Amino acid sequence: QQQVKQSPQSLIVQKGGISIINCAYENTAFDYFPWYQQFPGKGPALLIAIRPDVSEKKEGRFTISFNKSAKQFSLHIMDSQPGDSATYFCAASTPLGGNTGKLIFGQGTTLQVKP
Amino acid sequence: DADVTQTPRNRITKTGKRIMLECSQTKGHDRMYWYRQDPGLGLRLIYYSFDVKDINKGEISDGYSVSRQAQAKFSLSLESAIPNQTALYFCATSLSGGEAFFGQGTRLTVV
């Protein structure tokens, strides 16, 4: 049972283009939705995160769009650069500080940005 | 020094052997996690611990056990390794369930 479903599995984008990765979740108790970025040989690192009380969060070229009613959220990378080539994971967590605050990850998306 | 340190970084072991992966952290976080990463399956939660006395099973705990020896140490054991446990294993920590910080990973191969 995959609680967080991520697509596409892989993505190739030209430099300067927009990369879009989508995630859908089932558990309405989730209230924290982070995105992690992983480079080869490294552990994942937090990129950007959102809570369901807002529909969008932007940090530089990275934007999360959140649709609570559809139980979906997406990562948009504007002006994609070769240095953005990495694996991206969406995740979801139940209330922070509570006794169920565990992070559940999606399947991952391998992004390649061509020069 | 890394905030979350995993040892060993690479390990090849034989089927049926017992193996332990270790994780230590200097961040002072209360929560620690073990994940395994497989291509196409993402990161799947094996076990997690909210404090030394609180250990919980994750999505795929069968065949694994853990020990939280101290707030800073969380080890994962494979009692009798099998080939389908070949994967990349990550330890992570967080403060009360917030941002998770990952170690560099342990690449385990069971032959």
Side-chain angles (χ1 to χ4, degrees), chain A residues 35-39 43-47 62 77 83-89:
Chain A
W35 284 89
Y36 282 77
Q37 181 186 54
Q38 182 185 31
F39 293 106
L46 181 66
L47 183 63
F62 300 90
I77 305 175
D84 296 331
S85 297
T87 299
Y88 292 82
F89 294 98

Side-chain angles (χ1 to χ4, degrees), chain A residues 1-2 9 32 36 38 41-44 46 89 93 96-108, chain B residues 9 31 33 35 37 39-43 45 48 50 57 59 88 90 96-104:
Chain A
Q1 180 184 359
Q2 192 73 37
Q9 186 171 354
Y32 173 63
Y36 282 77
Q38 182 185 31
K42 303 292 186 182
L46 181 66
F89 294 98
S93 175
L96 303 185
N99 61 4
T100 58
K102 58 183 179 181
L103 270 179
I104 302 297
F105 284 84
Q107 296 90 331
Chain B
R9 293 293 311 278
R31 301 187 180 194
Y33 311 81
Y35 290 90
Q37 183 176 1
L41 297 177
L43 291 156
L45 183 61
Y48 59 107
F50 288 157
K57 292 183 177 180
E59 304 167 275
L88 185 56
F90 283 102
S96 299
E99 177 182 353
F101 292 83
F102 284 79
Q104 296 275 60

Side-chain angles (χ1 to χ4, degrees), chain B residues 4 7 11-12 14 19 22 28 30 37 42 50 53-54 56 62-63 69-70 74 78-79 82 91 99 105 109-110:
Chain B
V4 183
T7 56
R11 181 72 181 267
I12 300 174
K14 293 183 177 180
I19 183 170
E22 299 186 345
D30 54 341
Q37 183 176 1
F50 288 157
K53 297 180 180 180
D54 183 13
N56 304 279
D62 288 348
Q69 301 94 325
F74 192 38
L78 287 67
E79 297 301 325
I82 57 177
C91 172
E99 177 182 353
T109 302
V110 183

Side-chain angles (χ1 to χ4, degrees), chain A residues 4-88:
Chain A
V4 180
K5 295 182 179 180
Q6 183 173 346
S7 63
Q9 186 171 354
S10 63
L11 182 62
I12 300 174
V13 173
Q14 292 292 328
K15 178 182 177 180
I18 302 174
S19 303
I20 301 174
I21 304 171
N22 301 298
C23 281
Y25 63 96
E26 299 172 358
N27 187 347
T28 56
F30 287 147
D31 76 342
Y32 173 63
F33 301 91
W35 284 89
Y36 282 77
Q37 181 186 54
Q38 182 185 31
F39 293 106
K42 303 292 186 182
L46 181 66
L47 183 63
I48 185 173
I50 196 169
R51 293 192 178 277
D53 53 345
V54 296
S55 60
E56 186 175 282
K57 183 174 181 180
K58 183 176 181 179
E59 291 185 359
R61 297 184 293 107
F62 300 90
T63 300
I64 299 178
S65 297
F66 186 82
N67 185 329
K68 187 174 182 178
S69 61
K71 293 187 288 184
Q72 295 176 346
F73 59 110
S74 60
L75 175 69
H76 291 65
I77 305 175
M78 311 300 288
D79 186 26
S80 298
Q81 299 296 312
D84 296 331
S85 297
T87 299
Y88 292 82

Side-chain angles (χ1 to χ4, degrees), chain B residues 34-49:
Chain B
W34 276 104
Y35 290 90
R36 69 175 275 177
Q37 183 176 1
D38 299 277
L41 297 177
L43 291 156
R44 291 181 293 168
L45 183 61
I46 306 172
Y47 270 96
Y48 59 107
S49 170

